[in-house]
Amino acid sequence: MNALSSKPKHLLDFQDWSAERLNALLDNADTMMQVLDRPVKKVPALQGLTVCTVFFENSTRTRVSFELAARRMSADVVSFAAGASSVTKGESIRDTIEVLTAYKVDAFVVRHQAAGAAHLVARYSGKPVINAGDGRRAHPTQALLDAYTIRREFGTLEGKTVAIIGDVRHSRVARSNAELLPKLGAKVILCGPATLLPRELAAEGVTLTTDPREAVRNADAVMALRLQQERMDAGYVGSLQDYARVYQVGEDLLAFAPNEAVVLHPGPMNRDVEISSEVADGPRSRILAQVENGQAVRMSTLYHLLVGRA
Amino acid sequence: MKASILSADEMRRALTRIAHEILERNKGAENLALIGIHTRGIPIAARLAAKLQQLEGVDVPLGRLDITLYRDDLSEIAKQPIIRETEVPFDLDRRRVVLVDDVLYTGRTVRAALDALIDLGRPEGIQLAVLVDRGHRELPIRADYVGKNLPTAKSEVVKVKLQETDGTDGVELWDLEEVQAAQQ
């Protein structure tokens, strides 16, 4: 038997997750990486279970990553895309989830444009729910795959510094990383223009700065966040050019970072806006590794939540 | 403890006998590989490999297998979702693999190990070596090499202790109730 603390039922954010449990999940992702390297990239661990991906907001890569992860674990997968469903006829989340639960689905992977939607699904379904992004609030598996990518790079997260640069205000990825990484012993520096840097995110293990050079100075990993065009229209930044000149993760900025620092991006990228193509495709980039690691981390998450709940 | 089943010396002799039987049955150690099942199958496989080296002068490749992802009793591992490393650093194709475990009981662990092995490659054949066969099979699986046949009751527990994992060598028989009481 092991001494792990009680097992959380959902992955909505990291509130109920101890560092010990999170590390166990990341440890298991190592095994999932081994599975992905084999000729038969599939194990029977979740055979007989059905995972439903419920995406009220579009996302190709996250949905595909989750669906492949579930299939690699031998779960059946059913996809529900809100755009092509009764939601367009006015059906509520509650009714949608209750119908899907009646179909004997064993777990939900939920993305929604509204913060807290995944909690709502958890409440109505009674089944394990994985939050695949809810509004600006949380995207826990993205943070886990970021943490895993850094851990693989350096062997540990303990004592590492991660600089997250860009539109922090609207980023669920930044929020989830700011919650997760300090739990695992890393320090987070959030950086962006003052208009995109909400002061309330400062916490133990998390510092804020508007100076990107300062942010990357001791960073082991530098993460660029996507800047959406509408931020400019809403007056958060003067112009894309102005923004890129100061905050773009490019070679000029990385000259201020330690030589061994790696670059991450949650994707999709606006090349030459928040990140230069040179850096995105360069030797420090771990952006494709993040994608590969993401599948292993999601396999591990499904395993962690579903094993024993059949 | 109810009874001591094997002493350290008896265990050593049993493993020596198994090593001889493996060589006899396979007409040597060519194309042979040993794969231990986590946890105690791994040191037992290593000991067998050392004996094969002594007897035949051949280094038989060693692997380790964790079968957690292949188990069919998910509810029993609900609280311990930790998966350990599987490491088979050689090509399984055209090899005769001897799968090694400490105790053979229901056969479910071995079934899972067979599934896991077949996903890793296509061995020419798979044989099974166990230190103790305690009976109560739930699947049609039998061992090719057995250190000790030990008829048991389901209310009993067989504890295999190894220097590598427990600091001592020996096999003991315990009452399940006694073991459960000690765990609480």
mmCIF file of all heavy atoms in Angstrom, chain A residues 1-2 4 7 21 24 28 31-32 34-35 38-40 42-46 73 303-304 307-308, chain B residues 66 68-71 74-87 115-116 118-120 183:
data_model
loop_
_atom_site.group_PDB
_atom_site.id
_atom_site.type_symbol
_atom_site.label_atom_id
_atom_site.label_comp_id
_atom_site.label_asym_id
_atom_site.label_seq_id
_atom_site.Cartn_x
_atom_site.Cartn_y
_atom_site.Cartn_z
ATOM 1 N N MET A 1 0.847 -1.195 0.000
ATOM 2 C CA MET A 1 0.000 0.000 0.000
ATOM 3 C C MET A 1 0.883 1.245 0.000
ATOM 4 O O MET A 1 2.034 1.205 0.384
ATOM 5 C CB MET A 1 -0.894 0.026 1.238
ATOM 6 C CG MET A 1 -1.896 -1.114 1.303
ATOM 7 S SD MET A 1 -3.028 -1.186 -0.078
ATOM 8 C CE MET A 1 -4.067 0.221 0.269
ATOM 9 N N ASN A 2 0.336 2.324 -0.416
ATOM 10 C CA ASN A 2 1.118 3.548 -0.407
ATOM 11 C C ASN A 2 0.533 4.503 0.616
ATOM 12 O O ASN A 2 -0.532 4.282 1.173
ATOM 13 C CB ASN A 2 1.096 4.195 -1.793
ATOM 14 C CG ASN A 2 -0.243 4.773 -2.090
ATOM 15 O OD1 ASN A 2 -0.504 5.919 -1.777
ATOM 16 N ND2 ASN A 2 -1.137 3.976 -2.652
ATOM 17 N N LEU A 4 -0.212 7.730 0.007
ATOM 18 C CA LEU A 4 -0.750 8.948 -0.609
ATOM 19 C C LEU A 4 -2.003 9.394 0.124
ATOM 20 O O LEU A 4 -2.811 8.584 0.564
ATOM 21 C CB LEU A 4 -1.091 8.697 -2.082
ATOM 22 C CG LEU A 4 0.077 8.543 -3.048
ATOM 23 C CD1 LEU A 4 -0.426 8.339 -4.459
ATOM 24 C CD2 LEU A 4 0.969 9.769 -3.012
ATOM 25 N N LYS A 7 -7.708 10.611 -2.384
ATOM 26 C CA LYS A 7 -7.646 10.841 -3.828
ATOM 27 C C LYS A 7 -8.739 11.808 -4.272
ATOM 28 O O LYS A 7 -9.925 11.573 -4.020
ATOM 29 C CB LYS A 7 -7.848 9.478 -4.487
ATOM 30 C CG LYS A 7 -7.691 9.461 -5.959
ATOM 31 C CD LYS A 7 -7.528 8.016 -6.389
ATOM 32 C CE LYS A 7 -8.145 7.757 -7.716
ATOM 33 N NZ LYS A 7 -7.940 6.382 -8.143
ATOM 34 N N ARG A 21 0.525 13.984 -4.457
ATOM 35 C CA ARG A 21 -0.330 13.388 -5.482
ATOM 36 C C ARG A 21 0.022 13.904 -6.878
ATOM 37 O O ARG A 21 0.027 13.163 -7.854
ATOM 38 C CB ARG A 21 -1.784 13.738 -5.178
ATOM 39 C CG ARG A 21 -2.548 12.580 -5.017
ATOM 40 C CD ARG A 21 -3.820 12.161 -5.106
ATOM 41 N NE ARG A 21 -4.037 11.200 -4.021
ATOM 42 C CZ ARG A 21 -4.035 9.904 -4.215
ATOM 43 N NH1 ARG A 21 -3.794 9.391 -5.391
ATOM 44 N NH2 ARG A 21 -4.274 9.098 -3.216
ATOM 45 N N ALA A 24 3.040 12.195 -7.988
ATOM 46 C CA ALA A 24 2.732 10.808 -8.383
ATOM 47 C C ALA A 24 2.156 10.795 -9.799
ATOM 48 O O ALA A 24 2.494 9.935 -10.617
ATOM 49 C CB ALA A 24 1.755 10.189 -7.393
ATOM 50 N N ASN A 28 3.852 8.978 -13.025
ATOM 51 C CA ASN A 28 3.180 8.021 -13.904
ATOM 52 C C ASN A 28 3.239 8.459 -15.370
ATOM 53 O O ASN A 28 3.196 7.620 -16.273
ATOM 54 C CB ASN A 28 1.723 7.848 -13.482
ATOM 55 C CG ASN A 28 1.583 6.939 -12.273
ATOM 56 O OD1 ASN A 28 2.551 6.317 -11.852
ATOM 57 N ND2 ASN A 28 0.397 6.871 -11.719
ATOM 58 N N THR A 31 5.835 6.722 -17.289
ATOM 59 C CA THR A 31 5.442 5.405 -17.818
ATOM 60 C C THR A 31 4.622 5.564 -19.089
ATOM 61 O O THR A 31 4.770 4.803 -20.044
ATOM 62 C CB THR A 31 4.609 4.644 -16.761
ATOM 63 O OG1 THR A 31 5.354 4.608 -15.561
ATOM 64 C CG2 THR A 31 4.298 3.233 -17.213
ATOM 65 N N MET A 32 3.743 6.575 -19.093
ATOM 66 C CA MET A 32 2.906 6.788 -20.281
ATOM 67 C C MET A 32 3.779 7.182 -21.473
ATOM 68 O O MET A 32 3.485 6.809 -22.612
ATOM 69 C CB MET A 32 1.856 7.871 -20.008
ATOM 70 C CG MET A 32 0.958 7.590 -18.816
ATOM 71 S SD MET A 32 0.246 5.926 -18.819
ATOM 72 C CE MET A 32 -0.665 5.940 -17.277
ATOM 73 N N GLN A 34 6.711 6.059 -21.995
ATOM 74 C CA GLN A 34 7.257 4.771 -22.469
ATOM 75 C C GLN A 34 6.245 4.063 -23.364
ATOM 76 O O GLN A 34 6.601 3.495 -24.392
ATOM 77 C CB GLN A 34 7.549 3.846 -21.287
ATOM 78 C CG GLN A 34 8.808 4.164 -20.525
ATOM 79 C CD GLN A 34 9.049 3.118 -19.421
ATOM 80 O OE1 GLN A 34 8.275 2.184 -19.230
ATOM 81 N NE2 GLN A 34 10.136 3.295 -18.702
ATOM 82 N N VAL A 35 4.975 4.097 -22.947
ATOM 83 C CA VAL A 35 3.925 3.443 -23.747
ATOM 84 C C VAL A 35 3.858 4.093 -25.137
ATOM 85 O O VAL A 35 3.751 3.403 -26.155
ATOM 86 C CB VAL A 35 2.554 3.530 -23.028
ATOM 87 C CG1 VAL A 35 1.426 3.063 -23.940
ATOM 88 C CG2 VAL A 35 2.570 2.707 -21.741
ATOM 89 N N ARG A 38 6.302 2.854 -27.738
ATOM 90 C CA ARG A 38 6.307 1.436 -28.115
ATOM 91 C C ARG A 38 5.586 1.207 -29.435
ATOM 92 O O ARG A 38 4.796 2.049 -29.855
ATOM 93 C CB ARG A 38 5.605 0.629 -27.014
ATOM 94 C CG ARG A 38 6.413 0.602 -25.754
ATOM 95 C CD ARG A 38 5.795 -0.116 -24.603
ATOM 96 N NE ARG A 38 4.452 -0.624 -24.777
ATOM 97 C CZ ARG A 38 3.717 -1.063 -23.782
ATOM 98 N NH1 ARG A 38 4.192 -1.034 -22.550
ATOM 99 N NH2 ARG A 38 2.516 -1.539 -23.988
ATOM 100 N N PRO A 39 5.831 0.074 -30.092
ATOM 101 C CA PRO A 39 5.094 -0.219 -31.323
ATOM 102 C C PRO A 39 3.582 -0.280 -31.051
ATOM 103 O O PRO A 39 2.786 0.209 -31.848
ATOM 104 C CB PRO A 39 5.615 -1.599 -31.750
ATOM 105 C CG PRO A 39 6.843 -1.850 -30.952
ATOM 106 C CD PRO A 39 6.801 -0.973 -29.747
ATOM 107 N N VAL A 40 3.195 -0.891 -29.933
ATOM 108 C CA VAL A 40 1.774 -0.914 -29.548
ATOM 109 C C VAL A 40 1.578 0.197 -28.519
ATOM 110 O O VAL A 40 1.952 0.055 -27.364
ATOM 111 C CB VAL A 40 1.387 -2.282 -28.937
ATOM 112 C CG1 VAL A 40 -0.078 -2.291 -28.522
ATOM 113 C CG2 VAL A 40 1.675 -3.409 -29.919
ATOM 114 N N LYS A 42 -0.678 1.371 -26.701
ATOM 115 C CA LYS A 42 -1.978 1.220 -26.058
ATOM 116 C C LYS A 42 -1.875 0.234 -24.911
ATOM 117 O O LYS A 42 -1.220 -0.803 -25.054
ATOM 118 C CB LYS A 42 -2.960 0.686 -27.112
ATOM 119 C CG LYS A 42 -4.399 0.802 -26.748
ATOM 120 C CD LYS A 42 -5.268 0.617 -27.973
ATOM 121 C CE LYS A 42 -6.716 0.798 -27.590
ATOM 122 N NZ LYS A 42 -7.546 1.078 -28.736
ATOM 123 N N VAL A 43 -2.519 0.554 -23.812
ATOM 124 C CA VAL A 43 -2.578 -0.377 -22.679
ATOM 125 C C VAL A 43 -4.043 -0.548 -22.271
ATOM 126 O O VAL A 43 -4.852 0.353 -22.513
ATOM 127 C CB VAL A 43 -1.748 0.135 -21.475
ATOM 128 C CG1 VAL A 43 -0.264 0.056 -21.755
ATOM 129 C CG2 VAL A 43 -2.144 1.552 -21.093
ATOM 130 N N PRO A 44 -4.378 -1.689 -21.661
ATOM 131 C CA PRO A 44 -5.798 -1.938 -21.384
ATOM 132 C C PRO A 44 -6.319 -1.349 -20.078
ATOM 133 O O PRO A 44 -7.403 -1.706 -19.636
ATOM 134 C CB PRO A 44 -5.855 -3.468 -21.338
ATOM 135 C CG PRO A 44 -4.503 -3.884 -20.894
ATOM 136 C CD PRO A 44 -3.532 -2.847 -21.363
ATOM 137 N N ALA A 45 -5.582 -0.416 -19.480
ATOM 138 C CA ALA A 45 -5.897 0.034 -18.114
ATOM 139 C C ALA A 45 -7.336 0.535 -17.941
ATOM 140 O O ALA A 45 -7.931 0.331 -16.893
ATOM 141 C CB ALA A 45 -4.912 1.106 -17.689
ATOM 142 N N LEU A 46 -7.883 1.218 -18.927
ATOM 143 C CA LEU A 46 -9.235 1.788 -18.764
ATOM 144 C C LEU A 46 -10.259 1.109 -19.679
ATOM 145 O O LEU A 46 -11.274 1.706 -20.049
ATOM 146 C CB LEU A 46 -9.197 3.302 -19.037
ATOM 147 C CG LEU A 46 -8.264 4.117 -18.135
ATOM 148 C CD1 LEU A 46 -8.373 5.607 -18.436
ATOM 149 C CD2 LEU A 46 -8.549 3.873 -16.652
ATOM 150 N N MET A 73 -5.408 4.482 -23.531
ATOM 151 C CA MET A 73 -5.642 3.740 -22.287
ATOM 152 C C MET A 73 -6.784 2.729 -22.457
ATOM 153 O O MET A 73 -7.280 2.165 -21.495
ATOM 154 C CB MET A 73 -6.010 4.716 -21.157
ATOM 155 C CG MET A 73 -4.995 5.809 -20.897
ATOM 156 S SD MET A 73 -3.439 5.178 -20.280
ATOM 157 C CE MET A 73 -3.925 4.772 -18.616
ATOM 158 N N TYR A 303 -5.891 8.037 -15.897
ATOM 159 C CA TYR A 303 -5.608 6.842 -15.107
ATOM 160 C C TYR A 303 -5.797 7.140 -13.622
ATOM 161 O O TYR A 303 -6.462 6.394 -12.895
ATOM 162 C CB TYR A 303 -4.174 6.372 -15.378
ATOM 163 C CG TYR A 303 -3.787 5.164 -14.590
ATOM 164 C CD1 TYR A 303 -4.263 3.909 -14.953
ATOM 165 C CD2 TYR A 303 -2.977 5.268 -13.475
ATOM 166 C CE1 TYR A 303 -3.934 2.789 -14.215
ATOM 167 C CE2 TYR A 303 -2.639 4.150 -12.741
ATOM 168 C CZ TYR A 303 -3.114 2.914 -13.109
ATOM 169 O OH TYR A 303 -2.787 1.810 -12.376
ATOM 170 N N HIS A 304 -5.224 8.252 -13.213
ATOM 171 C CA HIS A 304 -5.268 8.625 -11.804
ATOM 172 C C HIS A 304 -6.711 8.784 -11.311
ATOM 173 O O HIS A 304 -7.064 8.359 -10.221
ATOM 174 C CB HIS A 304 -4.503 9.931 -11.615
ATOM 175 C CG HIS A 304 -3.857 10.040 -10.286
ATOM 176 N ND1 HIS A 304 -2.548 9.676 -10.060
ATOM 177 C CD2 HIS A 304 -4.329 10.453 -9.099
ATOM 178 C CE1 HIS A 304 -2.261 9.864 -8.799
ATOM 179 N NE2 HIS A 304 -3.322 10.343 -8.194
ATOM 180 N N VAL A 307 -9.024 5.017 -12.410
ATOM 181 C CA VAL A 307 -8.714 3.676 -11.942
ATOM 182 C C VAL A 307 -9.459 3.410 -10.632
ATOM 183 O O VAL A 307 -9.476 4.248 -9.737
ATOM 184 C CB VAL A 307 -7.187 3.492 -11.798
ATOM 185 C CG1 VAL A 307 -6.641 4.218 -10.603
ATOM 186 C CG2 VAL A 307 -6.817 2.029 -11.707
ATOM 187 N N GLY A 308 -10.155 2.291 -10.625
ATOM 188 C CA GLY A 308 -10.890 1.921 -9.422
ATOM 189 C C GLY A 308 -12.262 2.556 -9.298
ATOM 190 O O GLY A 308 -12.959 2.338 -8.329
ATOM 191 N N ASP B 66 6.403 -4.018 -15.044
ATOM 192 C CA ASP B 66 5.332 -3.603 -14.134
ATOM 193 C C ASP B 66 4.025 -3.854 -14.858
ATOM 194 O O ASP B 66 3.842 -3.414 -15.994
ATOM 195 C CB ASP B 66 5.462 -2.127 -13.776
ATOM 196 C CG ASP B 66 4.347 -1.710 -12.841
ATOM 197 O OD1 ASP B 66 4.460 -1.985 -11.641
ATOM 198 O OD2 ASP B 66 3.337 -1.148 -13.308
ATOM 199 N N THR B 68 0.896 -3.058 -13.780
ATOM 200 C CA THR B 68 -0.226 -2.284 -13.240
ATOM 201 C C THR B 68 -1.234 -1.892 -14.325
ATOM 202 O O THR B 68 -2.448 -1.973 -14.118
ATOM 203 C CB THR B 68 0.308 -1.005 -12.563
ATOM 204 O OG1 THR B 68 1.345 -1.374 -11.674
ATOM 205 C CG2 THR B 68 -0.773 -0.291 -11.797
ATOM 206 N N LEU B 69 -0.743 -1.443 -15.476
ATOM 207 C CA LEU B 69 -1.657 -0.973 -16.529
ATOM 208 C C LEU B 69 -2.397 -2.118 -17.213
ATOM 209 O O LEU B 69 -3.267 -1.891 -18.036
ATOM 210 C CB LEU B 69 -0.878 -0.165 -17.576
ATOM 211 C CG LEU B 69 -0.321 1.170 -17.096
ATOM 212 C CD1 LEU B 69 0.614 1.774 -18.138
ATOM 213 C CD2 LEU B 69 -1.441 2.141 -16.781
ATOM 214 N N TYR B 70 -2.043 -3.350 -16.869
ATOM 215 C CA TYR B 70 -2.655 -4.517 -17.512
ATOM 216 C C TYR B 70 -3.532 -5.309 -16.548
ATOM 217 O O TYR B 70 -4.091 -6.327 -16.911
ATOM 218 C CB TYR B 70 -1.565 -5.430 -18.080
ATOM 219 C CG TYR B 70 -0.894 -4.825 -19.287
ATOM 220 C CD1 TYR B 70 0.110 -3.876 -19.140
ATOM 221 C CD2 TYR B 70 -1.294 -5.156 -20.569
ATOM 222 C CE1 TYR B 70 0.714 -3.297 -20.243
ATOM 223 C CE2 TYR B 70 -0.699 -4.590 -21.678
ATOM 224 C CZ TYR B 70 0.303 -3.664 -21.506
ATOM 225 O OH TYR B 70 0.884 -3.093 -22.611
ATOM 226 N N ARG B 71 -3.641 -4.843 -15.315
ATOM 227 C CA ARG B 71 -4.404 -5.596 -14.330
ATOM 228 C C ARG B 71 -5.894 -5.506 -14.607
ATOM 229 O O ARG B 71 -6.379 -4.506 -15.123
ATOM 230 C CB ARG B 71 -4.106 -5.076 -12.924
ATOM 231 C CG ARG B 71 -2.751 -5.519 -12.446
ATOM 232 C CD ARG B 71 -2.389 -4.880 -11.149
ATOM 233 N NE ARG B 71 -3.256 -5.305 -10.058
ATOM 234 C CZ ARG B 71 -2.898 -5.223 -8.788
ATOM 235 N NH1 ARG B 71 -1.716 -4.755 -8.460
ATOM 236 N NH2 ARG B 71 -3.725 -5.602 -7.846
ATOM 237 N N LEU B 74 -9.048 -3.369 -11.241
ATOM 238 C CA LEU B 74 -8.811 -1.943 -11.013
ATOM 239 C C LEU B 74 -9.224 -1.477 -9.626
ATOM 240 O O LEU B 74 -8.552 -0.652 -9.030
ATOM 241 C CB LEU B 74 -9.573 -1.127 -12.063
ATOM 242 C CG LEU B 74 -9.025 -1.186 -13.481
ATOM 243 C CD1 LEU B 74 -9.854 -0.319 -14.393
ATOM 244 C CD2 LEU B 74 -7.584 -0.737 -13.510
ATOM 245 N N SER B 75 -10.322 -2.029 -9.122
ATOM 246 C CA SER B 75 -10.812 -1.523 -7.836
ATOM 247 C C SER B 75 -9.794 -1.773 -6.728
ATOM 248 O O SER B 75 -9.714 -1.025 -5.771
ATOM 249 C CB SER B 75 -12.140 -2.166 -7.487
ATOM 250 O OG SER B 75 -11.964 -3.562 -7.462
ATOM 251 N N GLU B 76 -9.029 -2.851 -6.863
ATOM 252 C CA GLU B 76 -8.070 -3.179 -5.804
ATOM 253 C C GLU B 76 -6.849 -2.260 -5.801
ATOM 254 O O GLU B 76 -6.092 -2.233 -4.847
ATOM 255 C CB GLU B 76 -7.632 -4.639 -5.925
ATOM 256 C CG GLU B 76 -8.745 -5.578 -5.487
ATOM 257 C CD GLU B 76 -8.399 -7.030 -5.713
ATOM 258 O OE1 GLU B 76 -7.216 -7.365 -5.639
ATOM 259 O OE2 GLU B 76 -9.335 -7.795 -5.968
ATOM 260 N N ILE B 77 -6.635 -1.559 -6.925
ATOM 261 C CA ILE B 77 -5.476 -0.662 -6.942
ATOM 262 C C ILE B 77 -5.896 0.802 -6.915
ATOM 263 O O ILE B 77 -5.121 1.692 -7.181
ATOM 264 C CB ILE B 77 -4.547 -0.937 -8.148
ATOM 265 C CG1 ILE B 77 -5.341 -0.958 -9.444
ATOM 266 C CG2 ILE B 77 -3.778 -2.199 -7.971
ATOM 267 C CD1 ILE B 77 -4.451 -1.026 -10.674
ATOM 268 N N ALA B 78 -7.172 1.003 -6.544
ATOM 269 C CA ALA B 78 -7.722 2.359 -6.567
ATOM 270 C C ALA B 78 -6.894 3.337 -5.752
ATOM 271 O O ALA B 78 -6.715 4.474 -6.127
ATOM 272 C CB ALA B 78 -9.146 2.340 -6.040
ATOM 273 N N LYS B 79 -6.395 2.860 -4.630
ATOM 274 C CA LYS B 79 -5.709 3.791 -3.746
ATOM 275 C C LYS B 79 -4.212 3.853 -4.004
ATOM 276 O O LYS B 79 -3.491 4.554 -3.335
ATOM 277 C CB LYS B 79 -5.977 3.396 -2.291
ATOM 278 C CG LYS B 79 -7.400 3.713 -1.888
ATOM 279 C CD LYS B 79 -7.627 3.365 -0.454
ATOM 280 C CE LYS B 79 -9.081 3.624 -0.102
ATOM 281 N NZ LYS B 79 -9.480 2.910 1.082
ATOM 282 N N GLN B 80 -3.736 3.032 -4.910
ATOM 283 C CA GLN B 80 -2.296 3.042 -5.151
ATOM 284 C C GLN B 80 -2.007 3.125 -6.656
ATOM 285 O O GLN B 80 -1.519 2.161 -7.240
ATOM 286 C CB GLN B 80 -1.633 1.826 -4.532
ATOM 287 C CG GLN B 80 -2.419 0.557 -4.700
ATOM 288 C CD GLN B 80 -1.655 -0.636 -4.194
ATOM 289 O OE1 GLN B 80 -0.448 -0.659 -4.123
ATOM 290 N NE2 GLN B 80 -2.385 -1.667 -3.836
ATOM 291 N N PRO B 81 -2.315 4.260 -7.243
ATOM 292 C CA PRO B 81 -2.168 4.351 -8.697
ATOM 293 C C PRO B 81 -0.730 4.599 -9.141
ATOM 294 O O PRO B 81 -0.493 5.194 -10.170
ATOM 295 C CB PRO B 81 -3.078 5.534 -9.049
ATOM 296 C CG PRO B 81 -3.046 6.397 -7.847
ATOM 297 C CD PRO B 81 -2.780 5.506 -6.663
ATOM 298 N N ILE B 82 0.234 4.127 -8.371
ATOM 299 C CA ILE B 82 1.626 4.363 -8.758
ATOM 300 C C ILE B 82 2.115 3.232 -9.668
ATOM 301 O O ILE B 82 2.007 2.058 -9.330
ATOM 302 C CB ILE B 82 2.523 4.482 -7.513
ATOM 303 C CG1 ILE B 82 2.124 5.755 -6.767
ATOM 304 C CG2 ILE B 82 3.998 4.516 -7.893
ATOM 305 C CD1 ILE B 82 2.730 5.893 -5.411
ATOM 306 N N ILE B 83 2.616 3.629 -10.806
ATOM 307 C CA ILE B 83 3.101 2.641 -11.765
ATOM 308 C C ILE B 83 4.621 2.656 -11.700
ATOM 309 O O ILE B 83 5.228 3.720 -11.711
ATOM 310 C CB ILE B 83 2.643 3.008 -13.186
ATOM 311 C CG1 ILE B 83 1.137 3.296 -13.200
ATOM 312 C CG2 ILE B 83 2.973 1.897 -14.159
ATOM 313 C CD1 ILE B 83 0.682 4.041 -14.409
ATOM 314 N N ARG B 84 5.197 1.477 -11.653
ATOM 315 C CA ARG B 84 6.660 1.441 -11.622
ATOM 316 C C ARG B 84 7.213 1.168 -13.011
ATOM 317 O O ARG B 84 6.470 0.906 -13.947
ATOM 318 C CB ARG B 84 7.123 0.413 -10.598
ATOM 319 C CG ARG B 84 6.865 0.925 -9.179
ATOM 320 C CD ARG B 84 6.647 -0.179 -8.201
ATOM 321 N NE ARG B 84 5.563 -1.053 -8.611
ATOM 322 C CZ ARG B 84 5.175 -2.107 -7.917
ATOM 323 N NH1 ARG B 84 5.765 -2.404 -6.805
ATOM 324 N NH2 ARG B 84 4.184 -2.871 -8.343
ATOM 325 N N GLU B 85 8.518 1.193 -13.070
ATOM 326 C CA GLU B 85 9.145 1.183 -14.382
ATOM 327 C C GLU B 85 9.110 -0.207 -15.050
ATOM 328 O O GLU B 85 9.340 -1.216 -14.413
ATOM 329 C CB GLU B 85 10.601 1.619 -14.219
ATOM 330 C CG GLU B 85 11.255 1.952 -15.523
ATOM 331 C CD GLU B 85 12.715 2.340 -15.305
ATOM 332 O OE1 GLU B 85 13.276 2.001 -14.255
ATOM 333 O OE2 GLU B 85 13.269 2.967 -16.203
ATOM 334 N N THR B 86 8.813 -0.176 -16.344
ATOM 335 C CA THR B 86 9.011 -1.364 -17.161
ATOM 336 C C THR B 86 10.261 -1.112 -17.975
ATOM 337 O O THR B 86 10.386 -0.082 -18.631
ATOM 338 C CB THR B 86 7.804 -1.585 -18.096
ATOM 339 O OG1 THR B 86 6.703 -2.056 -17.325
ATOM 340 C CG2 THR B 86 8.114 -2.612 -19.175
ATOM 341 N N GLU B 87 11.194 -2.042 -17.914
ATOM 342 C CA GLU B 87 12.442 -1.837 -18.638
ATOM 343 C C GLU B 87 12.852 -3.165 -19.276
ATOM 344 O O GLU B 87 13.236 -4.103 -18.584
ATOM 345 C CB GLU B 87 13.528 -1.341 -17.672
ATOM 346 C CG GLU B 87 14.734 -0.814 -18.394
ATOM 347 C CD GLU B 87 15.838 -0.410 -17.422
ATOM 348 O OE1 GLU B 87 15.674 -0.615 -16.212
ATOM 349 O OE2 GLU B 87 16.857 0.092 -17.903
ATOM 350 N N ASP B 115 0.084 -10.323 -21.334
ATOM 351 C CA ASP B 115 -0.441 -9.246 -22.208
ATOM 352 C C ASP B 115 0.604 -8.149 -22.391
ATOM 353 O O ASP B 115 0.819 -7.651 -23.492
ATOM 354 C CB ASP B 115 -1.714 -8.637 -21.597
ATOM 355 C CG ASP B 115 -2.915 -9.548 -21.760
ATOM 356 O OD1 ASP B 115 -2.809 -10.524 -22.530
ATOM 357 O OD2 ASP B 115 -3.950 -9.289 -21.117
ATOM 358 N N ALA B 116 1.233 -7.756 -21.294
ATOM 359 C CA ALA B 116 2.221 -6.672 -21.353
ATOM 360 C C ALA B 116 3.403 -7.069 -22.235
ATOM 361 O O ALA B 116 3.867 -6.296 -23.070
ATOM 362 C CB ALA B 116 2.699 -6.324 -19.943
ATOM 363 N N ILE B 118 3.515 -9.268 -24.650
ATOM 364 C CA ILE B 118 3.150 -9.408 -26.063
ATOM 365 C C ILE B 118 3.014 -8.032 -26.717
ATOM 366 O O ILE B 118 3.264 -7.875 -27.911
ATOM 367 C CB ILE B 118 1.894 -10.300 -26.188
ATOM 368 C CG1 ILE B 118 2.331 -11.758 -25.929
ATOM 369 C CG2 ILE B 118 1.244 -10.183 -27.552
ATOM 370 C CD1 ILE B 118 1.253 -12.718 -25.594
ATOM 371 N N ASP B 119 2.676 -7.014 -25.924
ATOM 372 C CA ASP B 119 2.640 -5.637 -26.463
ATOM 373 C C ASP B 119 4.046 -5.095 -26.709
ATOM 374 O O ASP B 119 4.221 -4.123 -27.429
ATOM 375 C CB ASP B 119 1.904 -4.700 -25.502
ATOM 376 C CG ASP B 119 0.394 -4.762 -25.698
ATOM 377 O OD1 ASP B 119 -0.049 -5.502 -26.604
ATOM 378 O OD2 ASP B 119 -0.324 -4.094 -24.945
ATOM 379 N N LEU B 120 5.029 -5.691 -26.072
ATOM 380 C CA LEU B 120 6.403 -5.191 -26.222
ATOM 381 C C LEU B 120 7.157 -5.858 -27.374
ATOM 382 O O LEU B 120 8.196 -5.380 -27.801
ATOM 383 C CB LEU B 120 7.197 -5.418 -24.923
ATOM 384 C CG LEU B 120 6.736 -4.626 -23.703
ATOM 385 C CD1 LEU B 120 7.532 -5.057 -22.469
ATOM 386 C CD2 LEU B 120 6.912 -3.136 -23.912
ATOM 387 N N GLN B 183 -1.269 -4.707 9.878
ATOM 388 C CA GLN B 183 -1.252 -3.540 8.983
ATOM 389 C C GLN B 183 -2.057 -2.365 9.535
ATOM 390 O O GLN B 183 -1.872 -1.238 9.118
ATOM 391 C CB GLN B 183 -1.808 -3.935 7.601
ATOM 392 C CG GLN B 183 -0.752 -4.636 6.739
ATOM 393 C CD GLN B 183 -1.330 -5.209 5.447
ATOM 394 O OE1 GLN B 183 -2.537 -5.255 5.265
ATOM 395 N NE2 GLN B 183 -0.453 -5.647 4.575
#
